[in-house]
Structures are given as structure tokens and as C-alpha cells.
Amino acid sequence: MTPQARLAAAAEILDLYLGGEPAEKVLTGWARRSRFAGSGDRAAIRDHVFDAIRCRRSAAWLGGAETGRGLVIGSLRAEGRDPDSFLTGQRHALVPLTDEERLPAPPPPEAVALDVPDWLEAELRDSLGAEFGAVMRLMRKRAGLFLRVNTTRTDREAMRVALAEEGVIAEPHPLCETALAVGAGERGLRNTAAYRDGLVELQDVASQAVAAAVPLPPGAKVLDLCAGGGGKALALAARSGGEIHVHDANSGRMTDLPARAVRAGARLRVLDGTGPEAEAPFDVVVTDVPCSGSGAWRRQPEAKWRLQPAGLDRILGLQRDILARAGGLVAPGGCIAYMTCSMLRPENEAQVAAFLAARPGWRRERGERWSPLAGGDGFFLAILRRNKGE
């Protein structure tokens, strides 16, 4: 496919996304219908689509319309490229620009230029403080790709060398001692021996740093209450060398976890059926709670535009319920590791404050944020300790 035809395909896919379809679903459907498109074409179109979604407001402003065509035009202008060179009407390209589309756009408001939803602007400014502008500009770009080295079986330098021999160039990242940042060759990663043998796992560097900050006393009985796909449970198992109990309200999210654990040599015990209450108490309960995902908007750009006030209220209620449940699973002297991939104070500091205000037998032992400016996603962690006599 020509670059012009790829952009036309991206515009078609974006129209369906704007009509309410998930982008991944539309991309998959388009690929199945378009057997003429090679792997390089599909990858390029995917990049066009998600780059436009990350910058949906500003691209629509520059392109003159919140349509697939408008987002493509706006994206080209944002990149300093002339849309007339791509919208030629020839060889499956989009039709040429109209006179109206050639009119220059006026300067956008800051929230538009930074691709911030209007209703969240004030909350983001309050939560991010002086970092607001820098963080929101960063959220308009693609996220990096990171690997967690399985240090129970190898070390970071050995993996850097082994991956390089198979064409994947990765370098140590300072945010976490288990992390490698992939710089080149990412498409071949899943075919490497290191990945197939469970010596490395895909995991954001800040997510690794959060997992590394969870206290794991020797012999501690640990529960990952919201395990999901199990990335943090695998990281905890690599640190402790012991068994990690895992649970998720939606057990379907853990479908691939047993196979991943076997590949990594990790000891995980899935708690289903009666749930974790039957195995309580635990010394450490990890709660990577459902959240807005605002710290991971680079990876999940649709979430930024899908989130609405009522949805955030539901998330806040769910977080309160999970924290309350976790509190009932912790042994005296044990702790909750409360974490989110959110940058919003109502999901982070405010939830912790409300939990502690209702429970005088608990205290906050640690509270920390990982800014996206440090290289990974935005994360929050609070260690909430139950007093021994409680």
C-alpha cells in the first residue's frame, strides 16, 4: 500500500471508531477484510489510528472536523506535513482538500492543544500541579516498550546481551533494576528465546517499580486481590521466591496467568470459588484497583475520551469497596499495598485519607507517585499498615 492509501484506510477506521466501535475491534475487522495489506501496512495504519486518537481534540481542530478525514488532515499538519501531498484522490488516496479545508485553523485553547477533556482539566491541573503541561504533552505521544527481567533465573545484563543477539536492542532503565527499555527490534520480541522461556516479561517500567516497592517480609503470606493478567503477581513471585495467592473479581482476566506462571517458574495459587476470605488473613494484600487509567493514556488513548463524570464516580465507589474488603483480609501488623495507574488525587490520596479516617487502627506507612515524566506510566502507591494490636 502507498502512504496515501494507508492514510485513507486510517480515516475509514477512525470513522468507525468515532461512531462508537473500539479501535482494536475495527482494526482487526479491517485487516481480515483487507488481505492485500501486508504486515508493514497493518502496523503503519495502526500507528496512524492510535496517534490520531491520542491527539483527537487537537487533530480535529487542525483538520477542521472530528471525522476520520479531519483527524488525518489534522495529524498531518501537526507533524508539519502538507495534506495536499497525501490527499490526491489517486491510487486509493483520500480525495483532495476542499477550499474550506485549506483555511488555516485559529490558535487552539490550551486544553485542546494538550488534548485534555474539558471536564477533567481542573482536576488534572490540581493533581499534577506544575507538571500539568509537561505531562499532558507527553500523553500525546506513544509509550515506550519495557521488559521485566525474571531475576530468579537470570540477570539484566545477560538478557540485554541475549536479546541483542536475536535482534532486539534493549538498555537498562534507571527507574527499576529489573527493567530493560526496548529501543529496536520490538516486532521480533515474542520470537526470542528469552521471551518464550519466561526470562523476560512485557511490563511497564513504572509498574515494575511499584511492584518492587511492595514490602515482602521473608515468609509473608501474600495476596494479589485484583490480579488481572498477573503482571504484578509474577513480579512479586520473582522477588519473594515463594507462593503468591491471586484473585480477581473477573476470573476471566486470569485465563492466561497459569501458563505465564509456568513459563516464568513462578508459584501462583489461584483463589476462586470461595475467594480469598477462606484463606485470610494475609500479611500483604496488593490491590491494583480498577481506575481511570489516566497514567496509562499513552497506551490506552481511548480511555481518555471514554471516561465521563458518572464513570469516574462508579470507579471511585468500586475503589472504596475494594479497599474496605482488603482491610478485612489483612492480619494484625500486615499491610495493604494500594495502587493505581491514575494521576488523579480523588483516586489516590483522597481514597487513602478516607480509608484511614474510618479506621484509627491503621496508618499510612508510605505514599509515592511515579510521574510519566520519569519514563513510564503514571502510578500511585500507598502502603497502609494495620497496627499489631488491632
Side-chain angles (χ1 to χ4, degrees):
M1 296 176 68
T2 64
Q4 292 85 348
R6 289 172 173 177
L7 287 169
E12 175 188 338
I13 291 164
L14 285 164
D15 274 329
L16 293 171
Y17 155 72
L18 292 167
E21 293 288 333
E24 287 286 2
K25 178 182 176 182
V26 179
L27 281 161
T28 300
W30 184 90
R32 287 173 177 167
R33 296 191 306 273
S34 309
R35 298 298 184 183
F36 57 84
S39 60
D41 296 320
R42 295 194 300 271
I45 291 165
R46 179 186 177 84
D47 286 345
H48 287 318
V49 167
F50 280 103
D51 286 347
I53 294 173
R54 286 185 194 92
C55 302
R56 177 174 165 175
R57 288 196 78 185
S58 61
W61 183 278
L62 292 172
E66 194 172 47
T67 62
R69 177 183 174 89
L71 294 184
V72 165
I73 293 170
S75 296
L76 288 169
R77 285 175 172 154
E79 295 166 4
R81 297 194 285 175
D82 181 6
D84 280 313
S85 299
F86 294 90
L87 281 71
T88 63
Q90 300 175 358
R91 299 183 64 190
H92 306 291
L94 292 166
V95 300
L97 270 65
T98 64
D99 290 341
E100 184 177 358
E101 287 173 329
R102 287 193 174 90
L103 295 174
E110 185 179 26
V112 173
L114 293 176
D115 289 289
V116 176
D118 283 332
W119 73 274
L120 267 177
E121 181 181 1
E123 188 59 65
L124 284 165
R125 287 185 182 277
D126 177 67
S127 298
L128 294 171
E131 290 189 348
F132 169 76
V135 168
M136 297 317 299
R137 278 190 291 273
L138 184 65
M139 287 291 153
R140 303 173 72 247
K141 301 177 181 178
R142 299 177 198 175
L145 181 68
F146 301 96
L147 300 172
R148 179 182 57 78
V149 175
N150 185 351
T151 52
T152 59
R153 297 173 58 189
T154 185
D155 61 66
R156 185 160 67 171
E157 178 57 18
M159 285 300 92
R160 185 193 68 79
V161 172
L163 288 165
E165 290 174 351
E166 295 196 67
V168 178
I169 307 305
E171 297 296 333
H173 195 282
L175 203 60
C176 188
E177 62 184 12
T178 58
L180 287 169
V182 178
E186 63 181 71
R187 289 185 187 173
L189 174 63
R190 293 180 186 273
N191 295 322
T192 63
Y195 183 83
R196 290 196 310 268
D197 296 342
L199 301 179
V200 296
E201 289 275 350
L202 290 166
Q203 188 174 14
D204 174 72
V205 64
S207 179
Q208 294 183 50
V210 171
V214 174
L216 290 180
K221 187 177 180 182
V222 181
L223 168 67
D224 187 346
L225 183 59
C226 310
K232 290 188 178 64
L234 291 172
L236 293 169
R239 282 183 57 207
S240 74
E243 183 179 67
I244 304 295
H245 298 76
V246 294
H247 173 78
D248 197 280
N250 181 354
S251 59
R253 297 187 184 120
M254 301 188 293
T255 300
D256 297 333
L257 186 50
R260 292 179 68 192
V262 169
R263 192 174 70 229
R267 295 171 56 200
L268 301 184
R269 182 182 174 192
V270 177
L271 300 182
D272 213 344
T274 56
E277 279 76 10
E279 297 292 330
F282 297 90
D283 301 303
V284 180
V285 176
V286 177
T287 57
D288 186 3
V289 297
C291 68
S292 66
S294 54
W297 278 343
R298 285 185 291 174
R299 300 184 191 281
Q300 301 168 340
E302 292 172 89
K304 176 163 61 172
W305 310 115
R306 187 168 57 242
L307 185 65
Q308 296 297 325
L312 181 56
D313 287 342
R314 285 193 295 273
I315 289 169
L316 293 173
L318 181 58
Q319 290 168 351
R320 288 191 292 269
D321 291 344
I322 292 172
L323 258 178
R325 183 184 186 188
L329 297 171
V330 176
C335 72
I336 297 171
Y338 175 78
M339 56 184 72
T340 76
C341 58
S342 171
M343 302 182 292
L344 302 176
R345 288 188 184 278
E347 298 183 86
N348 297 330
E349 291 88 351
Q351 291 285 34
V352 169
F355 177 87
L356 295 176
R359 294 165 180 83
W362 290 72
R363 67 186 186 278
R364 190 179 80 165
E365 190 171 86
R366 178 177 181 178
E368 186 171 351
R369 281 177 175 254
W370 282 262
S371 169
L373 300 179
D377 294 342
F379 265 91
F380 173 82
L381 171 69
I383 304 300
L384 309 178
R385 180 74 61 182
R386 183 180 177 186
N387 294 341
K388 289 185 177 181
E390 295 297 326

